[in-house]
Amino acid sequence: MLDYVAAVTVTVGSRALPLGGVALPNRRLVLRWLRRQALRLADGHGRHPGPAPAAPWLGARDVRPVAFHGSDAPEALREWAGDPSRQDHALSTLESGRPALLTVVDPFVGLRVTLGAWPVDLWGWTAAASANHPSPPRPRTEGA
């Protein structure tokens, strides 16, 4: 059984910082989360840094905002989020077991924002880990 993990990171120079991430049970949910984050980041363009305004669609797992200096990166995020063929391609990529990645660049400051999702076989990992680490013996109980 595969679960999916999604994360959004920002890189400036050689320093990468996580903006947020989630683990979800299927690729459609993880892609929906990434689309929402892409639109949040794009819609935050031009706002002053600080807390995002309260809105009913903001969740606790939403990523922190980024201040873009140009308009190309926010537009690329909007285009990706709104393009059904690119969404289908991302779903197919995840279904094949490969990661789906999108990186946008703000060349004015060298800022790179990467949205990524990848499948994780948590059940297989758990089974392999428990096979390598047997359970402790059960205490013996004698008749009372």
Side-chain angles (χ1 to χ4, degrees):
M1 175 177 168
L2 291 177
D3 283 302
Y4 294 84
V5 175
V8 179
T9 58
V10 62
T11 306
V12 179
S14 63
R15 187 171 178 186
L17 301 168
L19 296 178
V22 294
L24 295 166
N26 69 58
R27 63 187 178 275
R28 290 193 185 279
L29 288 176
V30 85
L31 195 57
R32 183 183 307 163
W33 184 84
L34 280 177
R35 277 195 318 263
R36 187 174 74 226
Q37 302 318 310
L39 291 172
R40 264 192 89 230
L41 290 168
D43 291 345
H45 175 62
R47 292 194 184 136
H48 298 300
W57 53 271
L58 292 179
R61 298 185 297 183
D62 285 331
V63 299
R64 291 176 280 179
V66 170
F68 292 107
H69 293 78
S71 62
D72 292 344
E75 282 308 310
L77 290 168
R78 275 190 200 92
E79 287 174 19
W80 177 82
D83 185 345
S85 66
R86 293 178 79 181
Q87 300 305 306
D88 288 343
H89 179 9
L91 283 172
S92 298
T93 300
L94 289 171
E95 185 176 27
S96 73
R98 296 176 312 197
L101 299 171
L102 169 71
T103 299
V104 296
V105 178
D106 185 346
F108 293 104
V109 291
L111 180 100
R112 296 166 47 93
V113 175
T114 301
L115 290 81
W118 53 97
V120 179
D121 186 0
L122 294 176
W123 291 107
W125 179 83
T126 304
S130 60
N132 292 331
H133 298 91
S135 302
R138 291 191 169 172
R140 282 183 55 180
T141 56
E142 309 255 343

